[in-house]
Amino acid sequence: MVTIRLATPFDLVNMQHCNLLCLPENYQMKYYFYHGLSWPQMSFVAEDEHSGKIVGYVLAKMEEDPDDVPHGHITSLAVKRSYRRAGLARKLMDQSARAMVESFGAQYVSLHVRVSNRAALSLYRDNLGFQISEVESRYYGDGEDAYAMKRDLTTFLKSCEDQEKKLEQEFAKLTLGKEDAAVIGRWESVN
């Protein structure tokens, strides 16, 4: 089983290791520390509970442009190959987006992705609702172009709260029985 949790300073070395295994863009350790110390509530890890190993992470920050609305930026997202296609990347991204909204009032989140990275593009566009805002020519060190992408977060927190409420109601039905769940549902609609 894999758990998504907030990254700690003790995870930064393992996040960097995961990055080195998964991505062609690599960062020095000071960059991980900068993110971890400046925005400790925004980066998350996927941890294999059996082995205790970090199998994925999202490294995120807030952009500090005073002329723009508050918005976050995904610096890096990686999931080890043997753990892919299990929804971990989506969970990591959603946790980070929620932290951006709750902690900083972020209106949107941005990221860059290689134009050749079809799997990541599909995740961002088709599953997470990112839209391409522009193409940045020769963005990467090897000269490849990047899509600059944005995801609107203005309704994100409300949809998370609605989903949590629905899960709570389903859980109540399973644990309390139908009559008790109906009473709780009526009480919640009054309050």
Side-chain angles (χ1 to χ4, degrees), residues 71-137:
H71 65 281
H73 183 78
I74 301 298
T75 302
S76 184
L77 171 71
V79 175
K80 289 183 178 177
R81 188 169 308 281
S82 59
Y83 290 86
R84 291 182 187 166
R85 306 203 53 79
L88 296 177
R90 180 186 182 91
K91 290 174 185 174
L92 288 163
M93 292 287 283
D94 282 347
Q95 283 293 109
S96 187
R98 185 171 188 151
M100 290 173 190
V101 173
E102 289 178 344
S103 299
F104 298 100
Q107 300 294 303
Y108 68 91
V109 58
S110 63
L111 58 77
H112 292 91
V113 62
R114 288 176 174 271
V115 296
S116 65
N117 191 341
R118 296 195 187 286
L121 185 59
S122 175
L123 168 72
Y124 300 142
R125 185 185 54 215
D126 303 336
N127 296 320
L128 292 170
F130 278 81
Q131 296 184 352
I132 297 170
S133 55
E134 66 180 297
V135 176
E136 294 193 26
S137 182

Side-chain angles (χ1 to χ4, degrees), residues 156-189:
F156 176 74
L157 188 57
K158 175 77 171 110
S159 68
C160 287
E161 290 168 351
D162 290 347
Q163 189 176 24
E164 283 176 4
K165 189 172 186 176
K166 184 177 178 182
L167 288 172
E168 287 171 359
Q169 290 170 347
E170 291 296 318
F171 181 73
K173 287 178 188 175
L174 292 172
T175 58
L176 300 175
K178 291 181 181 177
E179 291 115 21
D180 294 332
V183 170
I184 291 170
R186 285 194 300 274
W187 181 81
E188 285 180 342
S189 66

